[in-house]
Protein backbone atom coordinates (compact mmCIF):
# COMPACT_ATOMS: atom_id res chain seq x y z
CA UNK A 1 0.00 0.00 0.00
CA UNK A 2 1.37 3.45 -1.01
CA UNK A 3 1.40 6.12 1.68
CA UNK A 4 0.77 9.74 0.63
CA UNK A 5 1.25 12.97 2.47
CA UNK A 6 -1.53 15.55 2.68
CA UNK A 7 0.37 17.78 0.31
CA UNK A 8 0.73 15.00 -2.24
CA UNK A 9 -3.00 14.22 -2.14
CA UNK A 10 -3.90 17.89 -2.51
CA UNK A 11 -1.56 18.25 -5.51
CA UNK A 12 -3.10 15.18 -7.17
CA UNK A 13 -6.60 16.62 -6.68
CA UNK A 14 -5.55 20.01 -7.97
CA UNK A 15 -4.00 18.51 -11.11
CA UNK A 16 -7.08 16.40 -11.78
CA UNK A 17 -9.46 19.31 -11.42
CA UNK A 18 -7.33 21.92 -13.16
CA UNK A 19 -6.78 19.66 -16.18
CA UNK A 20 -10.39 18.53 -16.47
CA UNK A 21 -11.75 20.42 -19.48
CA UNK A 22 -15.34 19.73 -18.54
CA UNK A 23 -14.88 21.95 -15.50
CA UNK A 24 -13.60 24.91 -17.56
CA UNK A 25 -15.86 27.80 -18.58
CA UNK A 26 -19.09 26.30 -17.34
CA UNK A 27 -22.43 27.86 -16.48
CA UNK A 28 -24.06 26.99 -13.16
CA UNK A 29 -27.57 28.04 -12.13
CA UNK A 30 -28.70 28.09 -8.54
CA UNK A 31 -30.15 30.08 -5.66
CA UNK A 32 -27.97 32.35 -3.54
CA UNK A 33 -28.13 31.12 0.03
CA UNK A 34 -25.42 33.56 1.17
CA UNK A 35 -23.66 36.56 -0.35
CA UNK A 36 -21.10 39.04 0.97
CA UNK A 37 -18.46 41.35 -0.52
CA UNK A 38 -15.14 42.20 1.14
CA UNK A 39 -12.70 44.50 -0.68
CA UNK A 40 -14.41 43.77 -4.01
CA UNK A 41 -14.19 40.02 -3.47
CA UNK A 42 -17.59 38.32 -3.43
CA UNK A 43 -18.05 35.19 -1.34
CA UNK A 44 -21.31 33.37 -1.93
CA UNK A 45 -22.99 29.97 -1.91
CA UNK A 46 -25.16 28.47 -4.62
CA UNK A 47 -27.80 25.90 -3.70
CA UNK A 48 -30.41 23.73 -5.23
CA UNK A 49 -32.80 21.33 -3.51
CA UNK A 50 -30.08 19.02 -2.21
CA UNK A 51 -26.60 20.50 -2.42
CA UNK A 52 -24.44 23.59 -1.92
CA UNK A 53 -21.54 25.01 -3.95
CA UNK A 54 -19.04 27.51 -2.49
CA UNK A 55 -18.15 30.29 -4.93
CA UNK A 56 -15.90 33.32 -5.13
CA UNK A 57 -15.63 36.21 -7.59
CA UNK A 58 -12.69 38.56 -7.66
CA UNK A 59 -13.13 42.20 -8.66
CA UNK A 60 -16.90 42.05 -8.04
CA UNK A 61 -18.80 45.37 -8.09
CA UNK A 62 -22.42 44.19 -8.05
CA UNK A 63 -24.53 43.36 -5.00
CA UNK A 64 -26.92 40.40 -4.93
CA UNK A 65 -29.45 39.29 -2.34
CA UNK A 66 -29.91 36.00 -0.59
CA UNK A 67 -32.66 34.11 -2.42
CA UNK A 68 -31.79 35.48 -5.84
CA UNK A 69 -31.70 32.94 -8.63
CA UNK A 70 -28.48 33.54 -10.56
CA UNK A 71 -26.58 32.13 -13.48
CA UNK A 72 -22.83 32.00 -12.80
CA UNK A 73 -20.12 31.51 -15.46
CA UNK A 74 -16.68 30.34 -14.32
CA UNK A 75 -14.29 27.50 -13.48
CA UNK A 76 -13.94 24.89 -10.75
CA UNK A 77 -10.73 25.37 -8.76
CA UNK A 78 -9.15 23.42 -5.95
CA UNK A 79 -7.02 25.23 -3.31
CA UNK A 80 -4.55 22.80 -1.69
CA UNK A 81 -3.67 25.01 1.29
CA UNK A 82 -7.26 25.12 2.43
CA UNK A 83 -8.23 21.75 1.05
CA UNK A 84 -11.25 23.42 -0.47
CA UNK A 85 -12.98 23.19 -3.82
CA UNK A 86 -14.40 26.48 -5.04
CA UNK A 87 -16.21 27.71 -8.11
CA UNK A 88 -14.35 30.77 -9.40
CA UNK A 89 -17.00 33.00 -10.91
CA UNK A 90 -16.18 35.23 -13.84
CA UNK A 91 -19.69 36.61 -14.34
CA UNK A 92 -22.92 36.57 -12.32
CA UNK A 93 -26.30 37.31 -13.84
CA UNK A 94 -29.64 37.60 -12.04
CA UNK A 95 -32.30 35.23 -13.35
CA UNK A 96 -34.97 35.24 -10.68
CA UNK A 97 -35.66 34.62 -7.00
CA UNK A 98 -35.40 31.26 -5.28
CA UNK A 99 -38.30 29.32 -3.90
CA UNK A 100 -37.34 29.80 -0.23
CA UNK A 101 -36.96 33.52 -0.69
CA UNK A 102 -40.35 33.70 -2.43
CA UNK A 103 -41.91 31.84 0.49
CA UNK A 104 -40.26 34.32 2.85
CA UNK A 105 -41.64 37.30 0.92
CA UNK A 106 -45.17 35.86 0.72
CA UNK A 107 -45.30 35.17 4.45
CA UNK A 108 -43.82 38.59 5.23
CA UNK A 109 -46.43 40.31 3.06
CA UNK A 110 -49.32 38.37 4.63
CA UNK A 111 -48.24 38.95 8.24
CA UNK A 112 -47.56 42.60 7.53
CA UNK A 113 -51.11 43.04 6.21
CA UNK A 114 -52.41 41.44 9.42
CA UNK A 115 -50.54 44.10 11.41
CA UNK A 116 -48.04 41.84 13.20
CA UNK A 117 -45.21 44.23 12.34
CA UNK A 118 -47.02 47.45 13.39
CA UNK A 119 -45.14 49.82 15.68
CA UNK A 120 -48.12 50.12 18.03
CA UNK A 121 -47.38 46.57 19.24
CA UNK A 122 -43.69 47.21 19.88
CA UNK A 123 -42.94 47.17 23.61
CA UNK A 124 -40.16 49.46 24.87
CA UNK A 125 -36.97 47.85 26.11
CA UNK A 126 -36.43 48.68 29.82
CA UNK A 127 -33.54 51.05 30.47
CA UNK A 128 -32.15 49.21 33.49
CA UNK A 129 -32.41 45.45 33.11
CA UNK A 130 -31.56 43.03 35.91
CA UNK A 131 -32.18 39.69 34.19
CA UNK A 132 -32.34 38.47 30.59
CA UNK A 133 -33.57 35.20 29.16
CA UNK A 134 -31.54 33.99 26.18
CA UNK A 135 -33.01 31.42 23.80
CA UNK A 136 -30.07 29.88 21.94
CA UNK A 137 -27.81 26.85 21.81
CA UNK A 138 -25.69 26.36 24.94
CA UNK A 139 -22.88 24.95 22.82
CA UNK A 140 -22.73 27.76 20.27
CA UNK A 141 -20.32 30.69 20.16
CA UNK A 142 -23.30 33.08 20.26
CA UNK A 143 -23.93 32.47 23.95
CA UNK A 144 -20.29 33.08 24.79
CA UNK A 145 -20.33 36.33 22.82
CA UNK A 146 -23.36 37.52 24.81
CA UNK A 147 -21.74 36.56 28.12
CA UNK A 148 -18.49 38.31 27.19
CA UNK A 149 -20.29 41.56 26.38
CA UNK A 150 -22.54 41.53 29.46
CA UNK A 151 -19.70 40.62 31.85
CA UNK A 152 -17.65 43.51 30.49
CA UNK A 153 -20.43 46.07 30.71
CA UNK A 154 -22.36 44.85 33.74
CA UNK A 155 -21.16 41.74 35.59
CA UNK A 156 -24.20 41.93 37.91
CA UNK A 157 -26.62 41.14 35.09
CA UNK A 158 -28.29 37.72 35.44
CA UNK A 159 -28.28 35.60 32.27
CA UNK A 160 -30.73 32.70 32.07
CA UNK A 161 -30.35 30.33 29.12
CA UNK A 162 -32.91 28.12 27.45
CA UNK A 163 -30.96 25.52 25.46
CA UNK A 164 -32.59 25.41 22.02
CA UNK A 165 -31.66 24.04 18.65
CA UNK A 166 -31.38 27.02 16.31
CA UNK A 167 -31.08 25.00 13.11
CA UNK A 168 -32.83 21.96 11.81
CA UNK A 169 -36.31 20.48 12.08
CA UNK A 170 -36.61 20.88 15.88
CA UNK A 171 -35.45 24.51 15.93
CA UNK A 172 -38.92 26.05 15.61
CA UNK A 173 -40.30 23.91 18.43
CA UNK A 174 -37.35 24.70 20.75
CA UNK A 175 -37.40 28.45 20.11
CA UNK A 176 -41.18 28.64 20.71
CA UNK A 177 -40.81 26.70 23.96
CA UNK A 178 -37.95 28.96 25.03
CA UNK A 179 -39.93 32.15 24.42
CA UNK A 180 -42.95 30.74 26.26
CA UNK A 181 -40.77 29.56 29.15
CA UNK A 182 -39.22 32.96 29.77
CA UNK A 183 -42.50 34.81 29.13
CA UNK A 184 -43.96 32.99 32.15
CA UNK A 185 -41.02 33.87 34.44
CA UNK A 186 -41.55 36.89 36.68
CA UNK A 187 -37.84 37.55 37.20
CA UNK A 188 -36.97 37.95 33.49
CA UNK A 189 -37.01 41.53 32.17
CA UNK A 190 -36.34 40.87 28.48
CA UNK A 191 -35.98 37.90 26.10
CA UNK A 192 -33.27 37.54 23.44
CA UNK A 193 -33.57 34.98 20.65
CA UNK A 194 -30.09 34.56 19.19
CA UNK A 195 -28.07 32.59 16.68
CA UNK A 196 -25.13 33.28 14.39
CA UNK A 197 -25.16 33.92 10.66
CA UNK A 198 -25.92 31.34 8.03
CA UNK A 199 -27.54 30.61 4.74
CA UNK A 200 -31.20 31.19 4.05
CA UNK A 201 -31.76 27.50 4.78
CA UNK A 202 -30.07 27.83 8.16
CA UNK A 203 -32.31 30.77 9.07
CA UNK A 204 -35.58 29.23 7.84
CA UNK A 205 -36.75 28.25 11.38
CA UNK A 206 -36.94 31.98 12.17
CA UNK A 207 -39.20 32.51 9.15
CA UNK A 208 -41.84 30.21 10.62
CA UNK A 209 -45.43 31.54 10.93
CA UNK A 210 -46.18 29.86 14.26
CA UNK A 211 -43.01 31.30 15.78
CA UNK A 212 -43.98 34.73 14.46
CA UNK A 213 -47.39 34.57 16.13
CA UNK A 214 -45.94 33.37 19.45
CA UNK A 215 -43.44 36.25 19.35
CA UNK A 216 -46.30 38.67 18.59
CA UNK A 217 -48.31 37.71 21.69
CA UNK A 218 -45.26 37.55 23.98
CA UNK A 219 -45.85 39.78 27.02
CA UNK A 220 -42.19 40.52 27.70
CA UNK A 221 -40.00 42.68 25.45
CA UNK A 222 -38.47 40.44 22.79
CA UNK A 223 -35.22 41.11 20.91
CA UNK A 224 -34.37 39.22 17.74
CA UNK A 225 -30.62 38.73 17.27
CA UNK A 226 -30.56 36.23 14.42
CA UNK A 227 -27.77 36.08 11.84
CA UNK A 228 -25.51 38.85 10.67
CA UNK A 229 -26.39 42.48 10.07
CA UNK A 230 -27.43 41.80 6.47
CA UNK A 231 -29.63 38.82 7.39
CA UNK A 232 -33.34 39.41 7.89
CA UNK A 233 -35.97 37.00 9.16
CA UNK A 234 -39.70 37.16 9.90
CA UNK A 235 -38.86 37.13 13.61
CA UNK A 236 -36.89 40.38 13.12
CA UNK A 237 -40.04 42.16 11.93
CA UNK A 238 -42.31 40.80 14.67
CA UNK A 239 -39.91 41.31 17.57
CA UNK A 240 -40.01 44.49 19.64
CA UNK A 241 -36.43 45.20 18.59
CA UNK A 242 -34.04 43.77 16.02
CA UNK A 243 -30.35 43.63 16.89
CA UNK A 244 -27.91 43.30 13.97
CA UNK A 245 -25.90 40.66 15.86
CA UNK A 246 -26.16 38.75 19.16
CA UNK A 247 -23.29 40.85 20.55
CA UNK A 248 -25.18 44.02 19.64
CA UNK A 249 -28.23 42.65 21.50
CA UNK A 250 -26.07 42.16 24.59
CA UNK A 251 -24.82 45.74 24.25
CA UNK A 252 -28.42 46.96 24.16
CA UNK A 253 -29.60 45.19 27.31
CA UNK A 254 -26.47 45.37 29.48
CA UNK A 255 -26.41 48.90 30.78
CA UNK A 256 -22.93 50.10 31.67
CA UNK A 257 -22.32 50.63 35.42
CA UNK A 258 -20.24 53.70 34.63
CA UNK A 259 -23.11 55.12 32.59
CA UNK A 260 -25.52 54.34 35.41
CA UNK A 261 -23.33 56.18 37.91
CA UNK A 262 -23.09 59.11 35.52
CA UNK A 263 -26.84 58.95 34.95
CA UNK A 264 -27.56 58.95 38.70
CA UNK A 265 -25.08 61.77 39.21
CA UNK A 266 -26.80 63.79 36.50
CA UNK A 267 -30.17 63.12 38.13
CA UNK A 268 -28.91 64.32 41.51
CA UNK A 269 -27.40 67.39 39.86
CA UNK A 270 -30.72 68.10 38.16
CA UNK A 271 -32.61 67.60 41.42
CA UNK A 272 -30.18 69.87 43.27
CA UNK A 273 -30.50 72.50 40.58
CA UNK A 274 -34.29 72.26 40.67
CA UNK A 275 -34.26 72.47 44.48
CA UNK A 276 -32.02 75.54 44.36
CA UNK A 277 -34.23 77.16 41.76
CA UNK A 278 -37.33 76.23 43.74
CA UNK A 279 -35.75 77.53 46.94
CA UNK A 280 -34.75 80.77 45.25
CA UNK A 281 -38.22 81.14 43.75
CA UNK A 282 -39.85 80.32 47.09
CA UNK A 283 -37.54 82.69 48.97
CA UNK A 284 -38.31 85.44 46.47
CA UNK A 285 -42.03 84.67 46.68
CA UNK A 286 -41.89 84.81 50.49
CA UNK A 287 -40.06 88.13 50.39
CA UNK A 288 -42.56 89.52 47.92
CA UNK A 289 -45.39 88.16 50.06
CA UNK A 290 -43.92 89.70 53.24
CA UNK A 291 -43.42 92.97 51.41
CA UNK A 292 -47.03 92.86 50.18
CA UNK A 293 -48.26 92.06 53.72
CA UNK A 294 -46.20 94.89 55.23
CA UNK A 295 -47.43 97.27 52.56
CA UNK A 296 -51.02 96.17 53.09
CA UNK A 297 -50.69 96.43 56.89
CA UNK A 298 -49.13 99.89 56.64
CA UNK A 299 -51.83 100.93 54.21
CA UNK A 300 -54.51 99.58 56.57
CA UNK A 301 -52.89 101.33 59.57
CA UNK A 302 -52.64 104.59 57.65
CA UNK A 303 -56.25 104.26 56.57
CA UNK A 304 -57.29 103.61 60.18
CA UNK A 305 -55.21 106.53 61.41
CA UNK A 306 -56.81 108.81 58.83
CA UNK A 307 -60.22 107.48 59.75
CA UNK A 308 -59.54 108.00 63.49
CA UNK A 309 -58.21 111.50 62.82
CA UNK A 310 -61.30 112.31 60.78
CA UNK A 311 -63.44 110.94 63.57
CA UNK A 312 -61.54 112.89 66.24
CA UNK A 313 -61.79 116.07 64.19
CA UNK A 314 -65.48 115.48 63.71
CA UNK A 315 -65.88 114.72 67.43
CA UNK A 316 -63.85 117.80 68.39
CA UNK A 317 -65.99 119.96 66.15
CA UNK A 318 -69.17 118.48 67.60
CA UNK A 319 -67.87 118.96 71.15
CA UNK A 320 -66.81 122.53 70.36
CA UNK A 321 -70.18 123.27 68.79
CA UNK A 322 -71.90 121.67 71.77
CA UNK A 323 -69.81 123.67 74.26
CA UNK A 324 -70.38 126.90 72.34
CA UNK A 325 -74.11 126.23 72.22
CA UNK A 326 -74.19 125.35 75.92
CA UNK A 327 -72.08 128.37 76.81
CA UNK A 328 -74.46 130.59 74.88
CA UNK A 329 -77.46 129.15 76.68
CA UNK A 330 -75.71 129.43 80.06
CA UNK A 331 -74.80 133.04 79.39
CA UNK A 332 -78.35 133.70 78.26
CA UNK A 333 -79.66 132.07 81.42
CA UNK A 334 -77.17 133.99 83.54
CA UNK A 335 -78.25 137.22 81.93
CA UNK A 336 -81.87 136.34 82.57
CA UNK A 337 -81.08 135.41 86.15
CA UNK A 338 -79.02 138.53 86.55
CA UNK A 339 -81.94 140.61 85.45
CA UNK A 340 -84.10 138.89 88.07
CA UNK A 341 -81.52 139.33 90.82
CA UNK A 342 -83.18 141.20 93.75
CA UNK A 343 -79.98 143.05 94.41
CA UNK A 344 -80.06 144.55 90.93
CA UNK A 345 -83.69 145.63 91.53
CA UNK A 346 -82.79 147.05 94.89
CA UNK A 347 -80.03 149.06 93.26
CA UNK A 348 -82.79 150.77 91.33
CA UNK A 349 -84.44 151.84 94.61
CA UNK A 350 -86.52 148.81 95.42
CA UNK A 351 -86.61 147.23 98.90
CA UNK A 352 -88.25 144.26 100.57
CA UNK A 353 -90.14 144.13 103.97
CA UNK A 354 -89.99 141.18 106.28
CA UNK A 355 -91.64 140.28 109.56
CA UNK A 356 -89.15 138.12 111.32
CA UNK A 357 -87.89 135.75 108.65
CA UNK A 358 -90.96 135.98 106.45
CA UNK A 359 -91.96 138.42 103.83
CA UNK A 360 -95.00 140.35 105.00
CA UNK A 361 -98.44 139.63 103.62
CA UNK A 362 -101.87 141.00 104.52
CA UNK A 363 -102.56 137.81 106.33
CA UNK A 364 -99.51 137.78 108.61
CA UNK A 365 -99.27 141.49 109.39
CA UNK A 366 -101.27 143.54 111.82
CA UNK A 367 -101.11 147.02 113.26
CA UNK A 368 -98.41 147.31 115.90
CA UNK A 369 -96.18 144.57 114.31
CA UNK A 370 -92.51 145.34 114.05
CA UNK A 371 -91.11 144.93 110.56
CA UNK A 372 -87.76 145.26 108.77
CA UNK A 373 -87.25 147.28 105.61
CA UNK A 374 -84.17 146.30 103.55
CA UNK A 375 -82.80 148.50 100.78
CA UNK A 376 -79.72 148.03 98.60
CA UNK A 377 -77.34 149.31 101.21
CA UNK A 378 -79.48 149.88 104.39
CA UNK A 379 -81.77 147.95 106.69
CA UNK A 380 -84.48 149.79 108.67
CA UNK A 381 -86.65 148.82 111.63
CA UNK A 382 -90.29 150.08 111.70
CA UNK A 383 -93.63 149.49 113.32
CA UNK A 384 -97.00 149.27 111.56
CA UNK A 385 -99.26 152.03 112.69
CA UNK A 386 -101.97 151.74 110.11
CA UNK A 387 -103.35 149.15 107.70
CA UNK A 388 -105.48 149.81 104.64
CA UNK A 389 -106.77 147.03 102.48
CA UNK A 390 -107.25 147.42 98.71
CA UNK A 391 -110.03 145.50 97.04
Amino acid sequence: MITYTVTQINRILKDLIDNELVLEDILVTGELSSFSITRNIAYFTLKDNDNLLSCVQFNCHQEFNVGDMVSVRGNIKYYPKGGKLTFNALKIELCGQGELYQQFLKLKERLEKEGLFDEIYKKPIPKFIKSIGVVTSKTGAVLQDIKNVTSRRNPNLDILVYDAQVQGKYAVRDVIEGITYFDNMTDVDVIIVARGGGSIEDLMPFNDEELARIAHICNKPLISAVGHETDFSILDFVADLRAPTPSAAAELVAFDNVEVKRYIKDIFATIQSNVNVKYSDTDMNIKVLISDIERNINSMINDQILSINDYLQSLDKKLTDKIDSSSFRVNLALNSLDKLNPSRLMMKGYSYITKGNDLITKDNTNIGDEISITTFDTKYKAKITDKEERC
Side-chain angles (χ1 to χ4, degrees):
M1 178 182 292
I2 300 174
T3 302
Y4 294 93
T5 65
V6 174
T7 300
Q8 289 173 328
I9 292 296
N10 275 341
R11 284 176 179 174
I12 292 172
L13 291 174
K14 178 174 174 57
D15 290 338
L16 289 174
I17 293 173
D18 287 351
N19 294 320
E20 181 60 56
L21 295 178
V22 73
L23 300 178
E24 292 287 334
D25 193 23
I26 58 178
L27 188 65
V28 181
T29 301
E31 180 182 343
L32 288 175
S33 65
S34 66
F35 188 90
S36 62
I37 294 180
T38 303
R39 292 187 290 274
N40 294 332
I41 301 176
Y43 300 91
F44 58 98
T45 303
L46 287 179
K47 65 178 276 309
D48 56 18
N49 291 333
D50 300 311
N51 296 283
L52 300 173
L53 178 63
S54 295
C55 307
V56 63
Q57 182 184 20
F58 298 96
N59 198 26
C60 178
H61 299 285
Q62 184 178 0
E63 288 276 359
F64 292 90
N65 298 315
V66 172
D68 288 344
M69 287 296 294
V70 293
S71 177
V72 183
R73 182 178 298 277
N75 308 304
I76 298 292
K77 294 295 181 181
Y78 184 78
Y79 294 93
K81 286 188 177 181
K84 184 176 181 181
L85 187 144
T86 302
F87 186 79
N88 278 16
L90 301 176
K91 186 177 181 181
I92 307 174
E93 291 183 345
L94 187 66
C95 60
Q97 291 181 326
E99 183 180 350
L100 290 178
Y101 190 65
Q102 290 177 0
Q103 292 176 6
F104 166 79
L105 293 179
K106 288 180 181 178
L107 178 59
K108 178 177 179 293
E109 181 180 5
R110 181 158 55 83
L111 296 181
E112 187 172 16
K113 286 182 179 179
E114 290 185 32
L116 267 69
F117 306 159
D118 290 353
E119 286 295 323
I120 59 173
Y121 299 116
K122 304 296 184 185
K123 294 176 286 295
I125 306 302
K127 188 173 182 61
F128 300 113
I129 294 172
K130 298 178 182 178
S131 176
I132 60 174
V134 181
V135 181
T136 191
S137 172
K138 279 188 175 180
T139 60
V142 166
L143 179 59
Q144 193 59 46
D145 291 341
I146 292 175
K147 287 183 176 180
N148 289 339
V149 173
T150 55
S151 62
R152 170 174 52 82
R153 288 177 60 83
N154 187 356
N156 298 321
L157 185 64
D158 291 332
I159 300 178
L160 305 176
V161 181
Y162 187 93
D163 187 17
Q165 293 188 34
V166 291
Q167 185 173 333
K169 63 179 182 178
Y170 299 113
V172 173
R173 179 202 64 189
D174 285 0
V175 174
I176 288 176
E177 289 177 354
I179 292 174
T180 305
Y181 174 74
F182 286 129
D183 196 29
N184 292 325
M185 290 187 65
T186 57
D187 295 337
V188 172
D189 298 317
V190 67
I191 302 172
I192 297 177
V193 177
R195 71 147 285 156
S199 65
I200 190 171
E201 296 83 17
D202 297 335
L203 301 181
M204 278 307 294
F206 302 94
N207 293 324
D208 182 81
E209 181 175 353
E210 183 183 1
L211 173 59
R213 296 191 182 279
I214 291 297
H216 179 65
I217 63 174
C218 181
N219 294 311
K220 294 187 184 299
L222 178 66
I223 298 176
S224 174
V226 176
H228 296 131
E229 187 170 358
T230 56
D231 297 325
F232 280 90
S233 66
I234 296 296
L235 182 62
D236 292 334
F237 298 105
V238 180
D240 299 302
L241 181 66
R242 178 203 179 239
T245 63
S247 296
E251 292 277 354
L252 290 170
V253 299
F255 60 88
D256 193 344
N257 283 334
V258 175
E259 293 180 4
V260 172
K261 291 178 181 178
R262 186 183 302 114
Y263 177 75
I264 294 174
K265 185 177 180 181
D266 291 342
I267 289 178
F268 275 116
T270 301
I271 293 173
Q272 185 65 46
S273 176
N274 290 338
V275 168
N276 291 336
V277 170
K278 195 68 175 178
Y279 173 78
S280 298
D281 292 343
T282 303
D283 184 58
M284 179 62 68
N285 290 336
I286 291 175
K287 289 181 179 179
V288 171
L289 182 60
I290 291 175
S291 177
D292 289 342
I293 291 173
E294 290 178 346
R295 184 170 60 254
N296 291 335
I297 290 176
N298 290 334
S299 177
M300 290 174 61
I301 292 174
N302 291 334
D303 290 344
Q304 291 298 321
I305 291 174
L306 290 175
S307 178
I308 291 172
N309 286 336
D310 290 342
Y311 178 75
L312 290 175
Q313 290 179 3
S314 175
L315 182 61
D316 184 63
K317 185 176 184 305
K318 289 180 180 180
L319 288 174
T320 301
D321 292 344
K322 193 71 173 178
I323 291 171
D324 290 344
S325 176
S326 298
S327 297
F328 176 76
R329 289 197 297 273
V330 168
N331 289 332
L332 185 62
L334 289 174
N335 288 334
S336 298
L337 289 173
D338 187 57
K339 290 179 180 180
L340 298 174
N341 189 346
S343 297
R344 183 174 293 278
L345 293 174
M346 293 172 69
M347 288 177 65
K348 293 180 179 182
Y350 291 95
S351 62
Y352 66 92
I353 304 170
T354 61
K355 177 182 175 183
N357 293 324
D358 299 319
L359 289 174
I360 66 171
T361 65
K362 68 178 182 176
D363 295 325
N364 67 354
T365 307
N366 296 305
I367 295 172
D369 291 339
E370 290 185 357
I371 59 174
S372 297
I373 301 171
T374 304
T375 64
F376 176 72
D377 56 356
T378 307
K379 186 174 183 179
Y380 300 95
K381 296 290 186 179
K383 181 182 286 188
I384 297 176
T385 59
D386 190 21
K387 178 179 181 178
E388 181 181 348
E389 291 185 8
R390 296 181 181 177
C391 43

